[in-house]
Amino acid sequence: MTNSDRPMPPLEGVEHRWVTVRGARLHFAEAGSGSPVVLLHGFPQHWYAWRALVPLLADDYRLICVDLRGFGWSEQTERGYDTDGLADDVLALLDALGLDRVTLVGHNWGAGVGFRLCRRAPDRFRAFLALNMTHPWTRHRDMLPNLWRMWFTAFIEYPVLGRLVLRHWPAFTRYLLRRAVADPAVWRDADLTEFTEAAQASAHAGQAMFWQYVVRDIPAGFRGADRRRRPAVPTLVLGGEHDPVIPPALLRGGDPHAECLTVRVVPGAGHHLHEERPELVAEALRELIAGAG
């Protein structure tokens, strides 16, 4: 089953659109009106990850929930899954929609793309809310003792093996989703099924994105390419106290940039803040937008 063969999960007030950019037909779900907010999902989710935020924010903002290349209902191409490529897709989408400047929200991998976007095109973003993701100024001495937390990536990142795991071992994806939150009861069974099936359909994109991170982003991170750049976009990073993937220790190191970079840890929460604490995330976004002017 491919992405396009799967039925779209329903969400009241959402309209679905497709735009072809950089050789790929990208899907996004749109709701509300007002100042534009672009939301980038993480792995193994898609636009539907934001279903709890849409009713909380659509009265005041134009929400554009993008399916990254190869995920959800966006076209799955052979290449283009490196962080720079995914960022280029988003910039091209903004151009296609005639959006000069937006607020950006990202979770997990989507937040990683968000940091790259804010570095490369800061004039396009009013503010950036990053959920459950390290910022570029995390200290190496905090990263090394926590590398073991990425053990699961070994099952996903390698060519052939990763695609087989994602496509034929749905229990693995389901396990990752359940273990990542502080309380697994936050998941409805239907939602776990949706995102598990989505990971199967997007197996090539999922594996390719992880592999590109290994061969491109990790070496660049240890060279400190991003650390030399000051944040140019007002940024709020929200992490979960009990996040098993990105623990609070990995969010330290941004103090020298406190005028543009704020980090908050949410007590009792895990790796999917938009699922576990949607009201808190919505309020944090409102405050960030108001502060950015």
Side-chain angles (χ1 to χ4, degrees):
M1 179 180 289
T2 64
N3 303 40
S4 58
D5 294 331
R6 301 180 59 249
M8 189 81 71
L11 185 62
E12 186 176 353
V14 163
E15 294 184 1
H16 297 279
R17 297 175 60 187
W18 283 261
V19 174
T20 298
V21 298
R22 301 185 64 250
R25 189 168 182 255
L26 298 187
H27 164 261
F28 60 95
E30 188 169 4
S33 60
S35 177
V37 178
V38 172
L39 301 100
L40 306 178
H41 63 85
F43 176 86
Q45 297 187 294
H46 47 67
W47 74 268
Y48 194 60
W50 308 110
R51 65 198 178 283
L53 283 180
V54 168
L56 299 176
L57 296 169
D59 286 345
D60 300 302
Y61 305 105
R62 178 187 176 187
L63 305 176
I64 301 167
C65 307
V66 181
D67 280 343
L68 297 175
R69 175 186 295 250
F71 295 90
W73 283 261
S74 286
E75 183 180 359
Q76 202 162 183
T77 58
E78 184 64 25
R79 296 179 176 82
Y81 300 102
D82 59 289
T83 304
D84 280 320
L86 296 174
D88 285 340
D89 287 347
V90 175
L91 291 174
L93 179 62
L94 295 184
D95 291 341
L97 298 180
L99 296 172
D100 293 329
R101 204 158 177 248
V102 303
T103 299
L104 189 62
V105 180
H107 170 251
N108 179 281
W109 287 94
V113 174
F115 277 113
R116 190 64 55 87
L117 284 165
C118 290
R119 187 197 80 185
R120 291 180 49 193
D123 57 312
R124 305 297 298 270
F125 304 101
R126 291 188 179 87
F128 175 37
L129 175 60
L131 306 175
N132 305 106
M133 188 59 177
T134 57
H135 53 73
W137 301 275
T138 298
R139 299 175 301 197
H140 288 168
R141 64 177 180 269
D142 291 324
M143 294 175 63
L144 294 174
N146 285 286
L147 289 178
W148 65 270
R149 296 177 182 276
M150 305 297 175
W151 63 267
F152 61 91
T153 65
F155 291 90
I156 302 172
E157 63 199 19
Y158 293 106
V160 182
L161 172 63
R163 293 195 291 273
L164 289 174
V165 167
L166 292 174
R167 192 170 290 132
H168 300 294
W169 194 12
F172 179 69
T173 302
R174 196 179 186 94
Y175 165 75
L176 292 180
L177 287 165
R178 287 178 57 83
R179 74 176 284 271
V181 295
D183 180 5
V186 73
W187 293 112
R188 296 187 311 161
D189 190 66
D191 296 333
L192 286 174
T193 298
E194 169 59 41
F195 295 126
T196 298
E197 291 181 354
Q200 290 180 283
S202 300
H204 167 70
Q207 179 275 316
M209 185 173 67
F210 273 78
W211 182 243
Q212 288 300 313
Y213 184 81
V214 169
V215 299
R216 293 173 183 252
D217 291 20
I218 290 178
F222 278 102
R223 290 195 303 269
D226 284 348
R227 294 180 63 84
R228 292 189 290 270
R229 297 173 179 261
R230 293 174 59 83
V233 176
T235 299
L236 171 61
V237 179
L238 291 182
E241 178 188 19
H242 302 305
D243 189 331
V245 183
I246 309 293
L250 290 181
L251 302 181
R252 296 194 291 247
D255 292 347
H257 309 293
E259 71 278 6
C260 284
L261 176 68
T262 304
V263 175
R264 297 181 194 162
V265 175
V266 180
H271 187 65
H272 288 267
L273 285 173
H274 56 299
E275 303 278 2
E276 301 173 74
R277 301 286 195 277
E279 293 84 3
L280 183 150
V281 171
E283 184 58 31
L285 179 62
R286 291 181 184 278
E287 292 177 2
L288 180 63
I289 292 172

